[in-house]
Amino acid sequence: MPAICAAASGRWQLAEARRTVLVTGGAGFIGSAVCRHLASSGRWCVVNVDALTYCGSLAALDEIAEEDAYSFHRADIRDEEAMLAIMRRERIDAVMHLAAETHVDRSIARSAPFVETNVLGTARLLDACLRYRDSLPVELQAPFRFHHVSTDEVFGDAGADGAAFSETTPYAPSSPYAASKAASDHLVRAWHRTYGLPVVLSNSTNSYGPWQYPEKLIPLMIGHAIEERPMPVYGDGGNVRDWLFVEDHARALERVLADGAVGETYIVGARSERSNVEVVERICDLIDARRPLGSGASRRSLIAFVEDRPGHDRRYSADPSKIERELGWRSEVGFEQGLARTVDWYLANEGWWRPLLQTQ
């Protein structure tokens, strides 16, 4: 196992040798971006563990599939023995935990899978990590890291004029999804305090970009706009989110894992708040410019306001000052640039998303 240098501050310092990181949910949207970023960086060996549920896509990992710095295991985080065996076989230095059920609408329709994966799965993964950590030589136990990747939805509704979420904002989840992520956050902190497991946490805003499963707002609206189908927007479309390009998110997660202080939480945000209707209108304009309708009409005419979903938070707003100040990370891809890149990707990869869109 490569040597690891742990500073007295509790931060994990990257040495010249690559670290080996296990990424749970690495075939998902954010997870695959993380795997691509880490495996291509020259700083990490990546072990991707994913159960390959409906939204997992190994195609998103084709560009690194043959690299020596990448390997894949199909496994479920709820299987503690399987996870422990993989950690021992691959001699893991750190775990970045992204595996989760994430779609709010699905959690409202049926909450059980969210509790099973996000809560029970996280608890079993933590137990596997604890057993693995305790089996390491003493000098390697403290440098081990568990990075729990979470969401700003655990904080609930910021309100139209409310303050942005910070690391000390009280939890007030609204949806079954957000509640399950809040529970998993609490479990991670408990394993740190009770067992001394070295953990870091991050809560991020809405990510978007290539390879996102077309049930989320941006890829769903892109698909409907390309196919000239009605574009359903909840309520009056005034719900506000902070939009973070997925490659920026991947860079942030590496920074938190590598340099974050043990036991600390970091808010990851882009300072790029937009209402849902603003996002959808911009998607219409971008696709109109690239693939005009034969009638010359605007795709904005396809926007259809529909009944709001239950418990729909009006606004999420995140303050990334801590990660900017302490870890030197900042969002680099502006929303206009990121959305244009995303639209172009979906236009160029219709063979991937069209079959998936038909199931929505």
Side-chain angles (χ1 to χ4, degrees), residues 198-272:
V199 307
V200 287
L201 298 89
S202 57
N203 295 83
S204 76
T205 57
N206 283 36
S207 291
Y208 70 99
W211 295 109
Q212 189 170 27
Y213 192 85
E215 65 184 0
K216 301 297 179 75
L217 178 69
I218 286 179
L220 181 66
M221 294 298 103
I222 291 173
H224 278 229
I226 291 173
E227 294 191 341
E228 302 176 30
R229 294 164 56 180
M231 302 169 70
V233 177
Y234 281 133
D236 62 3
N239 302 77
V240 173
R241 302 294 183 261
D242 178 28
W243 294 97
L244 174 67
F245 192 62
V246 70
E247 292 175 9
D248 276 340
H249 194 179
R251 290 191 306 101
L253 296 184
E254 180 189 18
R255 192 66 59 85
V256 171
L257 177 64
D259 298 325
V262 171
E264 291 295 316
T265 298
Y266 299 89
I267 295 286
V268 182
R271 301 182 184 275
S272 185

Side-chain angles (χ1 to χ4, degrees), residues 84-122:
L84 179 59
I86 293 169
M87 292 181 207
R88 287 174 171 167
R89 185 181 315 130
E90 299 287 356
R91 306 176 73 184
I92 297 300
D93 298 316
V95 172
M96 188 183 289
H97 178 35
L98 295 103
E101 293 283 347
T102 66
H103 191 45
V104 173
D105 286 355
R106 287 179 184 266
S107 80
I108 293 171
R110 185 165 180 260
S111 62
F114 290 76
V115 175
E116 292 166 4
T117 297
N118 300 354
V119 184
L120 180 61
T122 298

Side-chain angles (χ1 to χ4, degrees), residues 26-99:
F29 166 52
I30 300 171
S32 61
V34 167
C35 288
R36 294 192 301 269
H37 171 72
L38 296 179
S40 302
S41 71
R43 296 182 291 272
W44 305 88
C45 292
V46 177
V47 178
N48 176 7
V49 174
D50 199 292
L52 294 182
T53 57
Y54 75 96
C55 57
S57 176
L58 291 179
L61 296 151
D62 281 348
E63 67 185 68
I64 61 170
E66 302 302 320
E67 291 190 14
D68 292 338
Y70 173 80
S71 62
F72 171 74
H73 296 267
R74 185 170 186 174
D76 193 316
I77 59 170
R78 294 173 296 177
D79 188 337
E80 181 180 333
E81 297 303 324
M83 297 306 298
L84 179 59
I86 293 169
M87 292 181 207
R88 287 174 171 167
R89 185 181 315 130
E90 299 287 356
R91 306 176 73 184
I92 297 300
D93 298 316
V95 172
M96 188 183 289
H97 178 35
L98 295 103

